[in-house]
Amino acid sequence: MEQEQLKELLRNPTETLQSEIKSWLDLGAPDDRAKIARALLSLRNRNGGQLIFGFDDKTGEPAGQGRPVDLRAAFHADKVQELVIIHAK
């Protein structure tokens, strides 16, 4: 995705077949892990896309509650990959 496309998506977040919007989720919580895995597998079935955290999927407004202090650590690629592997079996 080009930088300008990403900026536009973050300015006006909307769900499409290639974009999933989620509020802040906790990779340590089983229900949230399942939501993330379902969203990622759904995107995979559509040949890829973006999973964007931190927005209300109904309104597109930024989600204020539940934002991790360290985003890079909370959504580290290894953690996300691990949950996909577990749920994709």
Side-chain angles (χ1 to χ4, degrees):
M1 172 175 270
E2 297 292 326
Q3 188 76 12
E4 280 305 310
Q5 289 174 308
L6 178 59
K7 286 180 182 178
E8 180 59 29
L9 184 58
L10 294 175
R11 275 192 292 269
N12 300 302
T14 55
E15 286 197 319
T16 66
L17 292 175
Q18 284 75 34
S19 296
E20 285 276 337
I21 308 293
K22 300 289 181 204
S23 61
W24 296 113
L25 298 174
D26 178 3
L27 277 123
D31 287 346
D32 287 355
R33 289 174 61 90
K35 287 178 188 176
I36 294 168
R38 278 193 302 272
L40 291 172
L41 291 170
S42 174
L43 290 171
R44 180 194 174 278
N45 289 339
R46 300 292 305 168
N47 295 317
Q50 301 81 38
L51 176 56
I52 302 165
F53 293 100
F55 293 93
D56 182 291
D57 65 333
K58 305 281 188 279
T59 66
E61 295 295 317
Q65 301 241 357
R67 183 183 191 276
V69 174
D70 186 347
L71 290 173
R72 290 182 192 267
F75 295 102
H76 191 277
D78 290 343
K79 291 181 181 179
V80 175
Q81 182 65 31
E82 175 189 348
L83 78 90
V84 170
I85 289 168
I86 291 168
H87 288 279
K89 291 181 181 182

